[in-house]
Structure formats: structure tokens, C-alpha cells
Amino acid sequence: MSGPILIFDSGIGGLSILDEIRTLIPDKDCCYLFDNARLPYGELAESPLIIGCVSLICEHAKRINAAIVVVACNSASTLVLPILRKRLSIPIVGVVPAIKPAAKISIQRHIGLLATPGTIKRPYTKELIEAFAEDCQVELFGSSELVMLAEAKLAGIAIDMAKLTLLLTPIRESALDTLVLGCTHFPILAAEIRQVLGNHITLLDSGKAVADRVAYLLGDNTAVISDDKRCVNYSAVYTTDDIAVGLRERLVEEGFTKIEPHSSTHLS
Ligand code: DGL
């Protein structure tokens, strides 16, 4: 498999997955594709979300001859994986909320899922909870505002801690002991979330599990981890005609050598 890894999200959330992937597979080319024109996905109706994602990912995967696609977005993964697997002949890896590991470690048998409004209402999520956390009380918290806070953070804007504290109030008032970060944007806010919630709540996300799966499918020797995490070729493609200056600077700092708009006109 010689082509790059194609990592997809609505916005910068997939960078939390990319970070885990390049820790494990530092010498593999990566292309990060994000649909910032339609962010946040958690507010999008299912049909436009599916049609847009499938068309964008398929077109780009073919264009760059991707070796593998990582749908680094819970909101999209809960809907598009079966269709993508029918359309593309390369491996497709999705991300789903870490309900199973959370149910394994929760001492109080009381867990929370913090995700987008889209993810928490999907049948996929309900089935995940029924299959792996049946004996737990599971509370669902949906927020797109947190998604936008994570976007702002990576664009260099200081996090409004008062706003974050307000958004997390229902979780602070709950007796849960384990919180699943079921949106790839949220690990980017992990330090701030921990600051607000305190250390008695364990935070879990799926980034490492996704990276392990990618490494396994690519057949890489994951025992060799280079100090230089930068990929050989590391590019970003976005779907609107511009991104925030702060975010562009951040992407350059992260090692992206090429940052350019997606040229297709298929999205409205
Ligand atoms: N990062 C995405 C997720 O994991 C989507 C966030 C959004 O666009 O609402 O669900």
C-alpha cells in the first residue's frame, strides 16, 4: 500500500486522530481533508451529511490514490462507513465512541457520552450502548458549541473558560465516573475539560484504538517509533475558499507542507 493515508473530518477534530497515527506510523504520508464549509456536522441532517461526505471522500481518495481512509469523525462514521466500503476498494477505518472501554473501567457503573447532537441521537450509538454498556447508567450530552471552542483553540483564540464551565455543568452535577469524548474535536480540549471537571472523572477517547487499527491494516512495524513525528509528506485540503489565519499558522507548525482548497464544485 504505497499511497497516503487520507484522514477526514468536518474540521480540525481529525487532527487528534492524526496525532495518534503519526506517533505510531511517523514515516507514512498523510493527507488531511476537512469539510469546514459544512461544519458543524452535529447539526447537519443525515441525508446531506451522507451524500456530501461520501462524494468528497471518494473523489479525494481516488485523486491522491489513498492507501486507506480514516473517517476521523464520529458524527460521520455513525452513518457513512457501509456506503464508503461499497464504493471504495481500500480499507476504511471509522471512529466510534469508546463506550466499550468506558463500561469496562467504570467503577460506579455510571458513564457519560459527550458527543455531537448528531452522534448522541443515532441508532448506531444506541446499539453500541445496548451491546457494551447494558449494565451501566449512560448519560448522553450533546454539544456543537464545544466543537466550535475546539476550532477556536486551534485557530489561536483563548478558550472562554466561563463558557466551557457552563457547558459542562450537567456533567459536573452528575455522579458519573467515566466520560467518553465521543467527538474527535474534544480531545483537543482535554486539558481544559479536565480542569473544569477535576481528576475524579476519567476521560476516554478512541484516538489510540483508531491508530492501532490503521497500523495493523497497513502492516507497519509499530515497535519502531521515530523521535521525528513529522510525516514524509503532510498536506491539508479544506472545502471552503479560506481558513482562519491562526489555523493556517498552526497547520504549518504541525508540519503541513501544502494547504490548499478542494477544487470540486459538487458541494453546495
Ligand atoms: N469531529 C466530529 C465528530 O467526531 C464532528 C464535529 C462536528 O462537525 O460537529 O463527531
Side-chain angles (χ1 to χ4, degrees):
M1 293 191 206
S2 58
I5 302 171
L6 177 60
I7 297 158
F8 173 79
D9 184 33
S10 56
I12 50 80
L15 294 179
S16 66
I17 302 281
L18 180 82
D19 213 36
E20 298 282 358
I21 290 174
R22 64 178 174 162
T23 298
L24 211 54
I25 322 168
D27 53 356
K28 185 83 188 156
D29 289 352
C30 291
C31 176
Y32 187 68
L33 171 66
F34 58 110
D35 190 8
N36 57 337
R38 304 194 311 147
L39 181 83
Y41 272 8
E43 305 291 330
L44 264 190
E46 293 192 3
S47 176
L49 195 159
I50 295 170
I51 294 167
C53 285
V54 169
S55 137
L56 186 58
I57 292 170
C58 289
E59 185 185 330
H60 215 76
K62 285 175 191 156
R63 191 182 293 176
I64 65 168
N65 192 26
I68 189 165
V69 171
V70 180
V71 182
C73 172
N74 293 264
S75 312
S77 291
T78 53
L79 294 171
V80 304
L81 299 180
I83 309 171
L84 281 178
R85 288 184 177 127
K86 272 192 202 141
R87 297 269 179 95
L88 295 170
S89 54
I90 53 175
I92 311 290
V93 178
V95 55
V96 291
I99 296 289
K100 189 178 176 182
K104 273 196 187 146
I105 64 162
S106 172
I107 291 165
Q108 304 299 331
R109 316 308 296 146
H110 188 171
I111 66 184
L113 169 61
L114 180 59
T116 66
T119 296
I120 62 164
K121 68 178 184 216
R122 299 263 148 76
Y124 189 103
T125 304
K126 193 169 175 275
E127 284 160 20
L128 207 59
I129 293 168
E130 280 165 8
F132 299 113
E134 213 188 14
D135 66 331
C136 291
Q137 182 182 345
V138 183
E139 287 189 78
L140 305 176
F141 306 95
S143 175
S144 290
E145 282 150 309
L146 274 180
V147 171
M148 300 321 284
L149 278 185
E151 289 282 329
K153 178 177 174 179
L154 280 210
I157 298 163
I159 295 292
D160 181 342
M161 290 303 287
K163 185 171 181 184
L164 183 66
T165 304
L166 197 66
L167 290 170
L168 297 178
T169 297
I171 301 175
R172 289 172 77 204
E173 289 173 352
S174 162
L176 59 86
D177 64 7
T178 308
L179 181 67
V180 176
L181 302 182
C183 168
T184 54
H185 278 74
F186 299 165
I188 288 162
L189 297 173
E192 291 83 358
I193 293 174
R194 211 167 270 126
Q195 197 181 320
V196 173
L197 296 181
N199 288 329
H200 61 288
I201 296 181
T202 304
L203 303 183
L204 279 185
D205 67 71
S206 309
K208 174 75 170 58
V210 172
D212 284 344
R213 181 78 186 142
V214 172
Y216 169 78
L217 288 167
L218 291 177
D220 278 81
N221 179 4
T222 57
V224 182
I225 298 173
S226 156
D227 282 344
D228 179 6
K229 288 182 180 180
R230 184 173 295 189
C231 291
V232 177
N233 182 6
Y234 200 28
S235 63
V237 179
Y238 53 94
T239 60
T240 48
D241 59 0
D242 209 358
I243 52 174
V245 176
L247 178 56
R248 183 178 289 275
E249 286 169 2
R250 181 62 190 260
L251 291 172
V252 171
E253 267 170 37
E254 292 269 334
F256 286 89
T257 51
K258 197 160 97 182
I259 304 165
E260 61 186 11
H262 182 73
S263 54
S264 173
T265 51
H266 69 273
L267 294 170
S268 56

